[in-house]
Amino acid sequence: MRILVVEDDLAVAKQVADILSQAKYVVDLAHDGEEAHFLGDTEPYDAVILDLGIPLMDGLSVLEKWRLAGKTMPVLILSARNTWREKVAGLRTGADDYLAKPFEMEELLARLEALIRRGAGGASPRLICGEVTLDTATNRAMLGNALVPLTALEFRMLAYFMHHPGKVISKTELTEHIYGQDFDRDSNTIEVLVNRLRKKFGAAFIHTHRGQGYQIEQPDTAP
């Protein structure tokens, strides 16, 4: 899953990016409002973490432009201005959640996970498709009762499939959501990753639709 982190404090931005990378997200960084607006307008993100106090264009203005342009990715606002008026302004501009600085990284991760689940139409952190279970809260994948070890790229691809049940997903869409903006999108890595997931979860787990992309069956959501 691909996240845009917008934060002008370089130390905070690096800390957030490191934590998200450890949680197997792919992270793009922007340090000012103009760069943030451009990336959010041109790149597909599964969620955005947006600081309000950024230079060149403030966070609320960036968010407003995105929403007016029809961009619907979930947005979690970060701000040192922890007043109810700031929260109301952010939510009414189109934010999905609000976290005041300073914050705990575990809370940031939990809120981000919840936003991505809701954005994909889910509620539970456990997604189930046949014998495959993905727990987005613990980053664990199971086949039946057996834990399946995954690389970061394999986890991102599996997570994207499981968050989009029944959807035929093109190679381009997969590439855009599991790699950063600088990845060579002519690579055959997508086919390699799909084959690796099939070896780990069974050949029938991922269906190929020639000329269109890949699909897993509609998973069940755990109660």
Side-chain angles (χ1 to χ4, degrees), residues 40-61:
D41 200 43
T42 58
E43 297 288 338
Y45 291 103
D46 297 292
V48 177
I49 298 173
L50 176 64
D51 183 38
L52 292 185
I54 49 177
L56 301 184
M57 186 189 307
D58 66 87
L60 284 182
S61 297

Side-chain angles (χ1 to χ4, degrees), residues 122-161:
S124 171
R126 294 179 69 242
L127 302 173
I128 301 173
C129 180
E131 292 295 310
V132 179
T133 301
L134 177 69
D135 191 326
T136 60
T138 61
N139 289 345
R140 290 162 60 93
M142 307 286 291
L143 179 60
N145 295 321
L147 179 66
V148 180
L150 298 174
T151 66
L153 284 175
E154 290 168 352
F155 182 88
R156 290 173 197 160
M157 177 174 279
L158 177 63
Y160 197 76
F161 275 126

Side-chain angles (χ1 to χ4, degrees), residues 194-205:
V194 166
N195 287 332
R196 278 159 51 178
L197 289 182
R198 283 173 170 156
K199 288 179 181 178
K200 293 185 176 185
F201 296 106
F205 177 60

Side-chain angles (χ1 to χ4, degrees), residues 160 167-176 190 212-214:
Y160 197 76
K167 177 182 178 181
V168 178
I169 304 173
S170 69
K171 293 179 184 178
T172 298
E173 183 174 348
L174 285 168
T175 300
E176 290 174 336
I190 294 299
Q212 299 179 56
Y214 304 98

